[in-house]
Structure formats: C-alpha cells, structure tokens
Amino acid sequence: MSAEQQPEPGKLPVRLVIAMLAVIVGATALIVGLTRTDTAEPTLPSDAVRQGGIAVYGAYVREPATDTAAAYFAMTNVGDSSDTLVAVSSPVSTSAMLHDVGKDELNGTGGMDSGSMTPTPEVELKPGETVTLAPTAGHMMLEGVSGTLEPGSTVNLHLVFENAGTITVKAHVIALTDPAPTS
Amino acid sequence: MYRRIRTVAALLAAALVALTGCSAAEDSGGGVADVTAVNDNSAYRGIEMQPEPPRPEFTLTDQNGDTYDFGAQTADTPTILYFGYTHCPDVCPLIMGQVSSALSQAPDEIKSELQVVFVTTDPATDKPAVLGDYLAKFDADLPVKYIGLTGSLDEVEAAQEAAGVPVAEDGGKTHSTMAIYYGSANKSHVAWLANTSAEDILHDLPIGVK
C-alpha cells in the first residue's frame, strides 16, 4: 500500500464508513422486521379447511403404483386448547393409518433414512402447533385403494379430532413422477 | 475449511443406526455427524461416495422369471440400483418417480443406455409378475425398461450385503432408501436419498456416468 492511499489521520476510509452504515441499516431492518413478525397473525393458506380450533391444508396424494398410496397434509391448532387427531380414513381405501408422523424430515441426518413405517395412532396438537406430513417425515397410508387415482382428481380424507370432530379435506392427486409439493 | 466428506463406512454406520430405530438418546457415534457434513466442493447434489464402491455381484430372478446376474448383465453400463418393495407407500414411489422424471429429461446418450434395477426387500409379496406390473408404472415412456429382481429372502439379503447397504428388516418395510448410481467404469460416485428431487438427479446423471 503506498503512502498516498493511506487515509488521513482521524478520518475513516470511505469504504469503511459505507460498510458501517450498511451494518447499521441492516440491523435496523432486522429489528423492525422482528417486531413485525412478533405481532403478525399467522395466515393460513387459501385451501385451509378450518373446523373448531383445527385447520388442515396442503393435502395431496401421490398416485399409487400399487393399491397402497400415501396422503400428506399439514394441520395447525389455531385454537386455544390442545386437540388430538385420533383416527383417519378415506372412502377410496379399505383402511388408513398414520406412519412416522412427527418424525424429522429426512435431510441427510444419519446419512440414510430407513424408510421406517412406525404407526402413529394419535397426534396431539398444542395451541399454535403445526404438524406437517411430508415424504420421509410421516404419511397417511391408504391401503386397499380401489380403482385408479387419476392425477388431477381429488380424494376425500377424513381426519377425526377429539374436540374439533371429523374434518374432511380434499386431497389433490399428483402423478407418480411429480415432485413433492413444497408447502 | 471443509473436511473430506463421507466415507461409505460412515454412511453404513449411520444407516445401521437408522435401521435399529435410532432415538435421540441412542449414541449414534461420531461417524453419523460426518455423513451430514455438506461438502460445498462436491460436484454432486447427491451423496458423493468416498471411497467409491464397486458394482456389486449378485444373481437373482427378474420380472420375466429369468436368472439375472447383476454384475455381468449391467457391466460397463451406467446403472441405478435401488432396494425397496412394491407396497411401500412413501419413499419407494417417490424416488422411483423422481428417477423416471430425471431420465425422461436426460440427454439421449444417457437415457438410451442407463439401466434401472429395483431389488425387492419383500420377496414373499413381490413375485416376478408383481414387479413387472409395478415397474411398468415408472418406465412406460423410457427407452430402457427397468429390471425388477426377486428371489429367496436369503438371496435378496445377500444382494443388499453385496451392495453395502443395511439389510432390510420388518418384512422388508424398513430398508435402505439410497438409490446407488454406478458409472460405466463400474464404480459408484454418487447416491441419492429418497427425498432427492428429479432436478438434482438430472444434474448428477452426466457427472457420474463414467
């Protein structure tokens, strides 16, 4: 560095001043942003079905390659008391059950997921809590699916909650080769 | 600073933990964390295999009821090997569908050559005809039809051991979810977990083809 590029004593280089300003502006934005999200009401997706204190949304079924299919959805307790999902069913299948619901989504943790199928008989939702079923992180297994589930069609899922009662959601059928929808 | 990632040994250690119903309380060993280290320098979006496992040798029965020598019949051919079962609701149709989607978009020279092999972990249910019906759902629009393999329980377990994946349990329902991609030089450079998107598989196909 040559002498003429040295900043004058007592004066900060312009670049440093700009950088400091940027940090201050950024920090201010962060504080404003945090304040805003703290007070924001949670907004539910437009497809949400709300009944009692429970909202269910983002439901879909992957078109099965056999008579066994998997359905996925998200549910949020928007009420002020806990509720529990105690049973699931669908008119398109002879039986239905939840597997691995609440399990962390596979993200490379542990290097390899085991594709395990642990039955989840009940799912408790505390006020404000959301549980999202997603591939490798829980599904509703539909066994004995009758007929074909055409991509683009919908199937009904019945979710029985202790307090909210039976909530029926329409799950969109996606094709075998479709990517998993991101909620 | 980035560490040289993931050895197959670490993968397998991790996988065995998953298979034995790992809980947070269980000591999962130091290797597991290494596996999750993201290697930003990797050319692959899937799991880069270090060291690179060779194409395995095993013989089973294909969907036509014929003997299929995996090592000999896929030799020097880019091959995707996956262990699952047809009544798997979740991870198997997901990864098989994403592989099919990726292949349908792949360059012709890959699409016209690459072989997909599905080995059942539930041979009691997945007889040759069952595998044939299942795979037809996935390869209908592809030039190279998928191969479905079954056999005795001992035989399909030996195939999993040969490929270095943890042996399935619980009637085949708890199984490895890695799709292993072997290149034409008969080594695997990359594998994809069940939640890998078609886009990421498509990205890795030409890079790992040799």
Side-chain angles (χ1 to χ4, degrees), chain B residues 1 7 13 18 24 34 36 40-41 49 67 69 81 99 117 124 138 141 149 174 177 180 196 203 208:
Chain B
M1 296 301 291
T7 64
D34 293 345
T36 65
D40 290 338
N41 295 21
M49 302 296 245
T67 299
D69 180 338
L81 174 65
V99 163
V117 179
F138 295 99
D141 302 327
L149 299 180
T174 302
T177 65
I180 308 168
T196 308
H203 170 274

Side-chain angles (χ1 to χ4, degrees), chain B residues 8-9 14 22 30 50 88 102 150 154 160 162 171 192 200 206:
Chain B
V8 171
C22 81
Q50 295 285 351
C88 164
T150 186
D154 284 350
Q160 292 166 70
W192 304 293
D200 285 354

Side-chain angles (χ1 to χ4, degrees), chain A residues 55-131:
Chain A
V56 183
Y57 46 94
Y60 74 94
V61 173
R62 184 173 295 280
E63 171 199 6
T66 61
D67 62 354
T68 305
Y72 308 91
F73 52 85
M75 48 193 176
T76 299
N77 186 336
V78 292
D80 46 22
S81 59
S82 285
D83 204 345
T84 304
L85 177 60
V86 292
V88 293
S89 67
S90 172
V92 301
S93 66
T94 54
S95 68
M97 70 188 307
L98 297 172
H99 281 131
D100 299 314
V101 175
K103 193 175 81 166
D104 286 341
E105 184 166 4
L106 168 69
N107 55 8
T109 311
M112 193 189 298
D113 186 73
S114 63
S116 67
M117 299 259 289
T118 310
T120 314
E122 295 192 342
V123 183
E124 190 192 4
L125 279 178
K126 294 184 171 64
E129 195 176 6
T130 295
V131 168

Side-chain angles (χ1 to χ4, degrees), chain B residues 126-185:
Chain B
D126 292 342
K127 301 302 180 200
V130 175
L131 287 170
D133 289 348
Y134 179 75
L135 295 175
K137 304 266 187 186
F138 295 99
D139 64 11
D141 302 327
L142 295 168
V144 180
K145 296 308 169 195
Y146 293 0
I147 301 288
L149 299 180
T150 186
S152 68
L153 187 60
D154 284 350
E155 286 171 334
V156 301
E157 288 187 345
Q160 292 166 70
E161 283 167 359
V165 302
V167 175
E169 295 172 358
D170 188 25
K173 291 189 179 70
T174 302
H175 59 92
S176 157
T177 65
M178 271 205 323
I180 308 168
Y181 181 32
Y182 300 97
S184 53

Side-chain angles (χ1 to χ4, degrees), chain A:
Chain A
M1 199 159 166
S2 66
E4 59 207 11
Q5 283 176 291
Q6 292 283 6
E8 291 172 45
K11 280 187 82 174
L12 290 168
V14 171
R15 266 182 308 185
L16 184 57
V17 172
I18 290 171
M20 284 169 71
L21 278 173
V23 168
I24 292 163
V25 169
T28 312
L30 188 67
I31 292 160
V32 170
L34 284 175
T35 316
R36 195 172 298 147
T37 51
D38 279 351
T39 55
E41 281 290 307
T43 50
L44 293 167
S46 56
D47 71 334
V49 176
R50 189 176 165 172
Q51 186 173 304
I54 300 294
V56 183
Y57 46 94
Y60 74 94
V61 173
R62 184 173 295 280
E63 171 199 6
T66 61
D67 62 354
T68 305
Y72 308 91
F73 52 85
M75 48 193 176
T76 299
N77 186 336
V78 292
D80 46 22
S81 59
S82 285
D83 204 345
T84 304
L85 177 60
V86 292
V88 293
S89 67
S90 172
V92 301
S93 66
T94 54
S95 68
M97 70 188 307
L98 297 172
H99 281 131
D100 299 314
V101 175
K103 193 175 81 166
D104 286 341
E105 184 166 4
L106 168 69
N107 55 8
T109 311
M112 193 189 298
D113 186 73
S114 63
S116 67
M117 299 259 289
T118 310
T120 314
E122 295 192 342
V123 183
E124 190 192 4
L125 279 178
K126 294 184 171 64
E129 195 176 6
T130 295
V131 168
T132 304
L133 284 65
T136 74
H139 59 265
M140 172 175 164
M141 181 173 76
L142 307 174
E143 277 191 302
V145 173
S146 45
T148 54
L149 303 185
E150 289 294 331
S153 65
T154 60
V155 302
N156 282 342
L157 308 177
H158 303 307
L159 314 179
V160 185
F161 287 85
E162 217 159 44
N163 302 327
T166 302
I167 300 178
T168 299
V169 292
K170 288 201 179 308
H172 298 273
V173 180
I174 65 166
L176 261 177
T177 52
D178 278 353
T182 48
S183 43

